[in-house]
Amino acid sequence: MRIVQVMTPRGVRAAVVESRDQLRLIDYPGGTYALARAAIDEGVSLAEFIASRRCHELLDYKQALDKRLLLPPVTHPDPGHCLVTGTGLTHLGSADTRAAMHAHTDESELTDSMRMFKLGIEGGKPETGRVGAQPEWFYKGDGSIVVAPEQPFDVPSFAEDAGEEPELVGVYLNGPDGIPYRLGYAVGNEFSDHVTERANYLWLAHSKLRPCSFGPELLIGELPAHLEGESRIVREGEVLWRKPFLTGEANMAHSLANLEHHHFKYAQFRLPGDLHVHYFGTATLSFADGIEVRDGDRFEIELPALGRALCNPVRVAPKSNAAPMRVHSL
């Protein structure tokens, strides 16, 4: 089952993807977040809860996209209670570009990135019941930085780069007792500033504080171990760059369960009612091929197993010579 969230005259509603052309509304107010909370309260799966509440009302999928009525497939009523995070160096081959960015003058020594990647290769898929190697982890922001499908990524005036990152995303909701529940998976564009990161890998945290997007569809149920997709950049109606990418556990150094454990082991990430959007990493970047994204370019990231492609244009703010941000005394 795959679902979307759409804005209707009656407010936010979730809808089941019936086909590439049609969406079937779910007869429940409040969207996916409300559906998930109700399913947890009733002790049933999200798929079971949705199946019992499908209605007869159909929507035109393309029309909803063209009118920009689609939201991210899951949103929290209070964006401050949605945490957006990610893990890097998780995919086979993902360390190559990073290592080149942070290359040490002495090639006999491994970079910190390669050491982290090696830890994942050796211990990222532990046996059942055991804890595996810690991954790299980063924070992107709260729910306010999530951009809906077809909506633009705003690139701030201080940014050095605007680079896509095609990734698999996991979405989670903490139950009333703090137990995290996985709602499903989506295709995502994690979007980062790779020039800032390349200047000094300790600026990785700064490079991640940018908008992101995921969806438009949420896959509910089992995720295939092997996923094949394509990442594209379109400029003035023509494909400027395209490249296939692989994800899913068969193509990762870490198991998803290990990545989930190392995120939710922290008590502050298990607060009841909080929503978590977690990016699982990538091995494919246009930046590695020397592409410089411009204002008006369009990202298209497609994982067919997860539904329609995720598309977002880029809107670059002009460079500014504004004075430093001033903090006022109170």
Side-chain angles (χ1 to χ4, degrees):
M1 180 186 290
R2 299 195 307 275
I3 64 172
V4 300
Q5 264 196 151
V6 60
M7 182 60 71
T8 76
R10 301 185 300 278
V12 177
R13 290 289 188 276
V16 175
V17 179
E18 292 276 292
S19 69
R20 186 165 180 81
D21 301 316
Q22 285 189 325
L23 304 171
R24 184 177 298 277
L25 281 179
I26 300 167
D27 188 18
Y28 201 85
T32 307
Y33 180 83
L35 284 169
R37 289 199 66 164
I40 292 171
D41 290 343
E42 291 194 10
V44 299
S45 72
L46 182 56
E48 289 173 324
F49 192 85
I50 289 171
S52 68
R53 285 163 175 79
R54 295 191 193 197
C55 68
H56 297 296
E57 188 174 353
L58 296 173
L59 299 178
D60 184 285
Y61 198 167
K62 185 176 185 305
Q63 190 175 72
L65 278 168
D66 291 344
K67 290 185 176 181
R68 297 187 175 182
L69 297 178
L70 287 187
L71 303 171
V74 189
T75 50
H76 196 290
D78 177 0
H81 284 279
C82 174
L83 187 72
V84 185
T85 56
T87 41
L89 299 172
T90 53
H91 283 63
L92 304 176
S94 63
D96 295 343
T97 302
R98 182 82 70 83
M101 286 186 195
H102 311 148
H104 195 282
T105 53
D106 182 356
E107 294 185 1
S108 66
E109 293 187 25
L110 290 176
T111 64
D112 287 342
S113 295
M114 289 303 295
R115 289 192 186 95
M116 182 70 73
F117 181 70
K118 189 168 180 284
L119 285 173
I121 290 290
E122 294 173 350
K125 293 183 176 179
E127 296 176 3
T128 302
R130 293 182 177 272
V131 175
Q134 279 194 137
E136 177 191 51
W137 182 96
F138 58 85
Y139 170 76
K140 280 197 70 69
D142 64 18
S144 66
I145 56 97
V146 178
V147 176
E150 298 296 335
Q151 297 291 340
F153 283 147
D154 282 319
V155 182
S157 61
F158 56 80
E160 300 293 337
D161 176 49
E164 87 300 332
E165 294 205 8
E167 303 194 20
L168 178 68
V169 174
V171 183
Y172 307 85
L173 173 62
N174 293 338
D177 52 5
I179 294 175
Y181 290 82
R182 185 191 313 108
L183 306 188
Y185 301 96
V187 59
N189 186 346
E190 195 253 298
F191 196 63
S192 297
D193 186 334
H194 300 108
V195 171
T196 293
E197 178 192 343
R198 182 178 61 183
N200 189 316
Y201 76 93
L202 294 179
W203 284 343
L204 173 74
H206 287 279
S207 77
K208 297 297 185 182
L209 296 175
R210 299 292 185 273
C212 62
S213 189
F214 68 102
E217 301 179 18
L218 183 74
L219 174 68
I220 297 172
E222 291 300 314
L223 182 75
H226 175 78
L227 293 166
E228 298 183 23
E230 184 177 75
S231 183
R232 299 182 292 271
I233 297 176
V234 177
R235 178 173 294 169
E236 298 178 352
E238 301 290 334
V239 176
L240 171 71
W241 174 89
R242 70 194 319 155
K243 201 164 193 176
F245 70 96
L246 302 176
T247 189
E249 282 197 354
N251 303 293
M252 296 174 66
H254 290 260
S255 65
L256 296 178
N258 190 52
L259 299 178
E260 290 170 343
H261 163 76
H262 284 294
H263 179 75
F264 287 108
K265 69 185 181 184
Y266 297 103
Q268 64 263 40
F269 296 160
R270 301 194 304 272
L271 298 179
D274 279 5
L275 187 70
H276 290 254
V277 177
H278 192 81
Y279 287 77
F280 287 119
T282 189
T284 304
L285 307 172
S286 66
F287 179 78
D289 293 336
I291 300 296
E292 294 184 12
V293 172
R294 300 178 187 170
D295 182 66
D297 286 352
R298 176 179 169 89
F299 296 124
E300 298 181 353
I301 298 177
E302 190 167 21
L303 272 174
L306 274 64
R308 278 185 179 264
L310 172 63
C311 302
N312 299 94
V314 175
R315 186 164 57 193
V316 180
K319 293 296 182 183
S320 172
N321 293 319
M325 178 67 69
R326 182 183 174 192
V327 176
H328 294 262
S329 296
L330 186 62

